[in-house]
């Protein structure tokens, strides 16, 4: 009788080990898909929040809540930080009426200094899973875009002001993919220009294996378009 009980217990233990092994195997098979899904979700969330920040500040500018507004984006070693700021009617009018004030300089009016803004933190957002094309630990790790209702004071600062020209696009990608596929260890989204000899060259991810690479472009009035790079089609697809 005791020998029979030992055989039953031993058989049950073997079954348990087999079940554990099967679960472990299935989990290892499913993990890559789950990891990819999570990376896409986390990057997509960052895109949505940045898109929302753009729409929020430009809407407030167009409605006259702030005659001059800014969206500031910073890329640190471990996260991106998005802040929107606003300048009130009185401050803006005073600056416009003062000769020599920075508001009259296209290269200086979009100030990165908090003291130059009446509302220094309208919206704040950070994300540790996404990255942008601004390069951490450099003079270009922070940039800003400024909008006014009529577009006359549209300007840029920091990493969005290149040789006097204001950038009109921001690239967003998975930080994990940027570190994995990038040509350096800075974790920024890297792009390259394809077919530079044609009139309308294509800007695309420099690491083709990326599955989570987005582009937000804007006009001087703040209207924005968000696109995702399609590796399969080799082009940007507008995000609905």
């Amino acid at each position: 009788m005791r020998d029979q009980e030992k055989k039953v217990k031993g058989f049950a233990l073997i079954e348990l080990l087999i079940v554990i092994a099967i679960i472990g195997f299935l989990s290892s098979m499913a993990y890559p898909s789950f990891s990819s899904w999570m990376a896409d979700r986390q990057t997509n969330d960052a895109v949505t929040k940045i898109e929302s920040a753009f729409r929020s500040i430009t809407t407030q500018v167009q409605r006259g809540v702030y005659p001059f507004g800014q969206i500031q984006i910073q890329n640190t070693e471990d996260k991106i930080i998005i802040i929107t700021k606003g300048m009130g009617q009185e401050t803006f009018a005073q600056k416009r009426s003062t000769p020599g004030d920075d508001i009259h300089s296209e290269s200086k009016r979009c100030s990165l200094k908090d003291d130059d803004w009446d509302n220094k933190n309208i919206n704040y957002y950070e994300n540790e899973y996404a990255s942008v094309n601004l390069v951490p630990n450099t003079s270009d790790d922070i940039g800003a875009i400024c909008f006014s209702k009529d577009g006359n004071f549209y300007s840029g600062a920091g990493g969005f002001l290149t040789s006097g020209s204001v950038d009109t696009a921001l690239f967003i990608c998975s930080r994990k993919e940027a570190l994995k596929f990038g040509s350096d260890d800075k974790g920024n989204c890297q792009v390259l220009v394809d077919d530079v000899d044609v009139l309308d060259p294509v800007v695309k991810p420099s690491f083709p294996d990326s599955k989570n690479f987005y582009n937000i472009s804007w006009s001087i009035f703040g209207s924005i378009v968000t696109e995702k790079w399609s590796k399969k089609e080799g082009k940007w697809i507008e995000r609905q």
Side-chain angles (χ1 to χ4, degrees), residues 168-213:
T168 58
L170 172 72
F171 296 94
I172 309 162
C173 64
S174 163
R175 185 171 294 271
K176 182 178 180 180
E177 289 184 350
L179 289 168
K180 180 179 180 181
F181 300 123
S183 59
D184 53 39
D185 59 354
K186 295 184 181 299
N188 61 302
C189 309
Q190 300 174 35
V191 296
L192 55 84
V193 181
D194 197 18
D195 297 329
V196 292
D197 295 328
V198 301
L199 293 176
D200 189 20
V202 176
V203 179
K204 63 181 183 180
S206 62
F207 31 98
D209 291 328
S210 174
K211 298 178 181 178
N212 304 284
F213 211 104

Side-chain angles (χ1 to χ4, degrees), residues 34 39 74 85 94 96 101 165 225 228:
F34 176 75
Q74 183 174 14
K85 305 175 184 179
Q94 183 179 2
R96 291 187 66 177
D101 190 273
S165 177
V225 175
K228 183 177 182 180

Side-chain angles (χ1 to χ4, degrees), residues 150-171:
D150 58 7
N152 289 334
F153 290 88
Y154 171 74
S155 50
F160 289 139
L161 188 62
T162 308
S163 301
S165 177
V166 181
D167 292 353
T168 58
L170 172 72
F171 296 94

Side-chain angles (χ1 to χ4, degrees), residues 35-51:
S35 180
S36 177
W37 175 80
M38 281 299 295
D40 184 57
R41 180 179 178 181
Q42 290 159 346
T43 309
N44 185 69
D45 179 64
V47 173
T48 299
K49 292 294 177 61
I50 296 173
E51 191 179 49

